[in-house]
Amino acid sequence: MQVQIHPSWEKVLQSEFKSPYFQDLIAFVKSEYTQTSCYPPGKLIFNAFDRCPFEAAKVVILGQDPYHGPGQAHGLCFSVPDGISPPPSLRNIFKEIHDDLALPIPTSGNLQAWAHQGVFLLNTILTVRANQAGSHQKKGWEIFTDHVIKQLSTQKEGLVFMLWGGFSKQKIKLIDTQKHLILTSGHPSPLSANRGLWFGNKHFSRCNDYLRAKGEVPIQWG
């Protein structure tokens, strides 16, 4: 499998692409995609990187692994293509944006417009077998995406990191908290949201307030 990624990221991640663990990872992913159904489509595995160049990144939202149902995953965490019904976690994200910023709830779950504004929608695991959540864990993706997070933290200033749920919060140790804003809350999944751990976090207005204070253009979340 030939890795295709935006040139701005290729410079940042060149050493990782050449490392033995990454070569093993690509061999594993290629084998999986050959032998069974996997998501997202191969050409979209690095879609988050292609839609949001390194220099453009202002906000980082972390997911865990891609949606594992047919047609859902397209390489941007929490996002689904046009025409696919938004999954429950994404519906709760939209509800929080509505409550926080009084914006209408979108009919499409495609978050590509966010990525084009500098929202880096990164899953920490970039591939998954069909109908098997977590099936590509501990194969090397976590090493790669931890390096991505570290490079964002080290090479940039004034980013907003949105870390939702216990898995994402573990990544705080990779981020320089003196240089960046870190927003944490429960996960937007119904299990967490219904226990009062998601709604009311106001992450989207807090993010935009921070960006404005830094002289940056706020994100149009609606």
Side-chain angles (χ1 to χ4, degrees), residues 176-193:
D176 186 340
T177 58
Q178 303 301 310
K179 291 170 58 181
H180 308 286
L181 175 65
I182 299 178
L183 300 175
T184 63
S185 79
H187 196 274
S189 67
L191 181 65
S192 177

Side-chain angles (χ1 to χ4, degrees), residues 35-183:
Q35 295 179 27
T36 187
S37 294
C38 293
Y39 303 122
K43 65 182 180 181
L44 296 178
I45 291 172
F46 292 97
N47 198 24
F49 299 82
D50 290 331
R51 298 294 175 184
C52 181
F54 183 79
E55 291 84 358
K58 299 192 288 190
V59 181
V60 181
I61 297 178
L62 291 184
Q64 191 161 358
D65 60 350
Y67 296 124
H68 52 82
Q72 292 181 308
H74 66 142
L76 307 174
C77 75
F78 293 105
S79 180
V80 291
D82 293 324
I84 300 294
S85 179
S89 292
L90 183 54
R91 292 202 297 271
N92 284 338
I93 290 170
F94 287 158
K95 287 177 187 174
E96 176 59 25
I97 291 171
H98 170 74
D99 294 345
D100 187 12
L101 297 170
L103 293 172
I105 292 176
T107 54
S108 172
N110 191 335
L111 305 182
Q112 193 168 285
W114 293 6
H116 290 161
Q117 298 177 72
V119 182
F120 184 46
L121 296 163
L122 178 67
N123 278 315
T124 54
I125 301 156
L126 297 188
T127 56
V128 68
R129 276 190 183 188
N131 306 312
Q132 295 184 43
S135 49
H136 287 182
Q137 288 181 4
K138 299 180 181 176
K139 301 297 183 182
W141 281 130
E142 296 92 335
I143 301 171
F144 175 72
T145 53
D146 278 2
H147 182 78
V148 170
I149 295 165
K150 286 178 188 174
Q151 292 305 306
L152 284 163
S153 175
T154 301
Q155 296 194 36
K156 296 180 73 74
E157 285 193 28
L159 295 176
V160 180
F161 287 86
M162 296 185 179
L163 309 180
W164 302 334
F167 182 86
S168 290
K169 290 176 190 175
Q170 294 173 15
K171 305 301 180 180
I172 290 175
K173 63 182 180 292
L174 306 174
I175 303 165
D176 186 340
T177 58
Q178 303 301 310
K179 291 170 58 181
H180 308 286
L181 175 65
I182 299 178
L183 300 175

